[in-house]
Amino acid sequence: MSKARSLGWMPGAALPVVAAMSVAAAMSAAAMPARAGDLSGLVVGDFAYTRVPQVKPQALPNIDTDQYTFKVKGLYTFDDPGFGVQLEGQDNFYFGKKFELAHLWSAGGSIFFRDNKGTIGASFSYASVDAPAPPLFAGKDSVESYGAFGEYYVLKSLTLQAKVGGTTGAVGEASVYGGVGLVWYDSPDFAVHTELNFTSYTSANNWTNVKAWGEYLPFNSIPVSLYMGYDFVNISGLGYTRMSTFLGGLKFHFGEGYTLRDYQRTGPLEWTANSEPGANLKF
């Protein structure tokens, strides 16, 4: 009797073992982070309602805005750890006046270096509006944004973020800005985001923005996460002093990943150096 047969091994008995190993390997591959030469993507659809209350003594009217935003991001990872390049674009359907639609669209990209400790890089973008979008844009205009950003993965459950940059164009003609953020993972599939942004425009308008939202990936087999949050901005100038925004949406993740933390730390960048002065606006 052969040694194999003495151990109880039969050719047919190997099939269930091989099948089980194949399933385990497939599940492990799906959970792997982005690798060299990988393409990954992110598609976002969200809605935001902004309330801009009347301010005295100017006696300006209240403004209620609705924003419907569609975003697409594509990332190519050259090496892991190593460099990556990301391109992105968005179209924001902005109703600043009832039944009057303005399109705020933007396109840009980032180049960065990322490893298991964090990410550092630079971003640029071009944004344009095709119609008046009160209280922000009096008419057709454009904004160019550029800056540097970084993320530090302090713990498996904690990410720290920072960015600095500037804009040229509308909303005060030009600006400098900075922001800091924090992401806490209560579990690999539930994250709480908070951030603080300050933007100073040459027209003497300063925007101070505080934003927080929660995000949840209900099923690891379905790469769709849901989020809801609140955005508050205090403004000096423009005749208005504050805006409150309630927002929510869906994110469709494409590429390697298994948990929400995997997607956010190895997939397309969600924290870049693009300008985000407040009220769910991104330039």
Side-chain angles (χ1 to χ4, degrees):
M1 181 179 294
S2 68
K3 184 178 180 180
R5 190 173 297 275
S6 68
L7 294 175
W9 182 85
M10 294 293 289
L15 294 178
V17 176
V18 173
M21 293 176 63
S22 299
V23 171
M27 293 179 65
S28 297
M32 290 177 63
R35 297 163 296 181
D38 273 353
L39 286 170
S40 56
L42 180 67
V43 176
V44 182
D46 69 22
F47 167 77
Y49 164 77
T50 300
R51 176 73 168 174
V52 188
Q54 176 179 323
V55 177
K56 297 180 180 180
Q58 292 92 339
L60 295 172
N62 295 334
I63 295 179
D64 297 297
T65 74
D66 293 332
Q67 301 174 48
Y68 301 86
T69 307
F70 179 76
K71 311 170 194 175
V72 177
K73 300 186 179 190
L75 166 66
Y76 183 79
T77 303
F78 287 98
D79 207 352
D80 180 27
F83 287 93
V85 171
Q86 177 169 303
L87 298 178
E88 58 187 83
Q90 74 170 24
D91 195 0
N92 188 337
F93 300 85
Y94 183 94
F95 291 87
K97 290 183 178 180
K98 194 172 184 179
F99 306 123
E100 293 188 15
L101 170 65
H103 283 280
L104 282 75
W105 66 267
S106 67
S110 300
I111 183 169
F112 62 91
F113 179 89
R114 178 158 60 187
D115 61 17
N116 62 356
K117 293 294 184 182
T119 304
I120 185 169
S123 303
F124 66 91
S125 70
Y126 175 85
S128 178
V129 58
D130 64 359
L136 306 170
F137 299 90
K140 293 182 178 181
D141 221 321
S142 61
V143 180
E144 298 81 35
S145 174
Y146 45 87
F149 66 94
E151 289 188 306
Y152 177 36
Y153 310 142
V154 184
L155 303 167
K156 284 186 177 181
S157 57
L158 178 63
T159 299
L160 300 181
Q161 304 164 316
K163 65 180 174 182
V164 63
T167 63
T168 59
V171 195
E173 301 304 325
S175 77
V176 292
Y177 59 84
V180 292
L182 178 153
V183 184
W184 173 260
Y185 294 94
D186 186 63
S187 76
D189 292 313
F190 181 74
V192 177
H193 305 246
T194 61
E195 64 180 75
L196 171 66
N197 298 290
F198 178 77
T199 307
S200 180
Y201 291 99
T202 55
S203 61
N205 296 317
N206 294 327
W207 292 45
T208 303
N209 167 241
V210 180
K211 184 177 179 181
W213 69 101
E215 185 172 352
Y216 179 52
L217 181 72
F219 308 104
N220 297 118
S221 58
I222 303 175
V224 178
S225 58
L226 305 88
Y227 65 95
M228 293 183 65
Y230 175 73
D231 180 315
F232 175 80
V233 60
N234 187 74
I235 309 169
S236 66
L238 292 180
Y240 297 89
T241 61
R242 60 192 183 276
M243 290 190 276
S244 294
T245 302
F246 300 90
L247 54 96
L250 300 172
K251 295 180 182 178
F252 299 83
H253 307 267
F254 299 93
E256 302 288 348
Y258 188 67
T259 68
L260 179 63
R261 185 172 57 206
D262 289 340
Y263 290 122
Q264 294 184 338
R265 289 189 174 184
T266 67
L269 302 170
E270 298 187 49
W271 177 268
T272 68
N274 292 343
S275 176
E276 297 188 32
N280 203 42
L281 294 175
K282 299 177 177 63
F283 301 142

